[in-house]
Amino acid sequence: PRPTGRAHVRGGGGAERRRPVVGAIAPSGPSSSATSASEDASEDASRATRSSSPWPILDALDDAREVLRHDPRRASEAPAEMHWTLSDPSPAPRAVVRAVAETARVSAALAEELVDMGAVYVDHWPEGRAEARDGDGDGARLFGWSKVEGVSPPPTQATSPSSGGPSATKKEKWTRVRDKDAVLHKHQRVRVHVHPRRYRDGCWLGAAAWRARVLHEDDDYFVVNKPARLPTQAHESNGCECVPGCVERSLGLKPGTLRVTHRLPPRTSGA
């Protein structure tokens, strides 16, 4: 994924209002390798006890997949996992949680956890698109969408059959949904990552542990000693279990408060 945003935001009246950013810098010096080895040994010793997140259903599913991955006799029983699932254009406004539950065929409780984690997206068209009319038939055909579920998104264009000249091409974008009370508008689609990539053991360390990892804090910056087994930036299928997301959740900061300025690989620790 690309960086999640800029470090500075313009406020009203021409004044520049800064928001805190979180940075990770690669460790240096002779003690870095010993420190990394010590942290890796500590993490290996604690694997038997998986960290608990705010999403008990997703944790239980993750534990079940972990068992299958480490049991050769049952590995062949693991079902094939699609990268994501796409819905048809919504015929009418409806709650995003309901749309997720129907699209992914999961319970409403699991749908809420997926939305809260940041595993759900909705499409939108910044340049506008042709509106469906009565008698136009299937919305997927009207907007030029093809159904390639779990493999790739449909073509990012919409064609207007009512235009007299060549079909107009308009770009489509996907926006991550984090509000469980959000509403899906008419003709919008939802994209669900039913099996998000997890980073539980690097994220849910507890408030005290994360506070100890904050090496510097002021009005503009957080300098964080990133643990291993945690990405600096959010994965496409998991918008929370990353350095800024875990710090915000653990320390009670408003979601979106922190922005990444420097990044390290997921398996690398450093500050």
Side-chain angles (χ1 to χ4, degrees):
R2 296 181 177 179
T4 54
R6 296 181 178 178
H8 305 291
V9 177
R10 286 283 178 182
E16 186 176 40
R17 183 175 66 246
R18 297 181 179 182
R19 64 175 65 179
V21 294
V22 56
I25 304 173
S28 60
S31 63
S32 61
S33 59
T35 301
S36 298
S38 176
E39 290 181 352
D40 288 342
S42 176
E43 289 171 359
D44 290 340
S46 63
R47 273 187 201 175
T49 305
R50 304 296 305 281
S51 300
S52 296
S53 75
W55 312 297
I57 302 177
L58 285 169
D59 286 355
L61 294 173
D62 185 44
D63 289 338
R65 286 192 293 269
E66 189 74 11
V67 170
L68 292 178
R69 280 195 294 265
H70 290 84
D71 187 347
R73 297 170 301 177
R74 302 180 61 186
S76 60
E77 301 176 12
E81 296 180 355
M82 290 186 174
H83 189 49
W84 56 61
T85 300
L86 296 171
S87 73
D88 290 328
S90 180
R94 57 176 173 166
V96 165
V97 169
R98 177 186 171 188
V100 170
E102 294 176 353
T103 299
R105 298 179 181 179
V106 298
S107 66
L110 178 53
E112 287 190 4
E113 291 189 4
L114 289 168
V115 172
D116 189 43
M117 172 185 279
V120 176
Y121 295 77
V122 297
D123 67 338
H124 66 102
W125 301 79
E127 301 172 331
R129 62 182 174 187
E131 291 295 334
R133 300 172 303 173
D134 293 339
D136 277 333
D138 180 45
R141 184 176 67 253
L142 169 65
F143 294 118
W145 293 331
S146 62
K147 300 177 181 178
V148 192
E149 183 172 328
V151 179
S152 61
T156 54
Q157 63 182 21
T159 57
S160 175
S162 60
S163 58
S167 298
T169 300
K170 298 179 180 180
K171 295 181 179 179
E172 172 192 34
K173 293 184 180 295
W174 291 91
T175 301
R176 177 176 267 136
V177 180
R178 300 298 292 272
D179 183 3
K180 291 182 287 187
D181 296 324
V183 175
L184 193 68
H185 299 297
K186 186 177 181 180
H187 301 315
Q188 272 191 314
R189 293 176 304 160
V190 66
R191 187 178 92 203
V192 186
H193 294 258
V194 187
H195 306 288
R197 185 172 296 182
R198 299 300 307 274
Y199 302 94
R200 290 162 55 188
D201 299 329
C203 180
W204 307 105
L205 309 177
W210 273 112
R211 175 53 65 183
R213 287 181 171 273
V214 178
L215 305 182
H216 174 78
E217 175 185 355
D218 58 32
D219 292 339
D220 298 319
Y221 293 96
F222 260 59
V223 180
V224 178
N225 180 15
K226 186 186 91 66
R229 304 184 186 280
L230 182 68
T232 304
Q233 296 170 284
H235 188 265
E236 178 188 19
S237 65
N238 186 337
C240 181
E241 290 178 338
C242 57
V243 174
C246 298
V247 172
E248 290 168 352
R249 292 263 182 158
S250 299
L251 302 185
L253 301 176
K254 182 180 178 181
T257 300
L258 303 179
R259 294 289 185 269
V260 175
T261 58
H262 304 284
R263 59 183 177 180
L264 294 173
R267 293 186 62 85
T268 303
S269 61

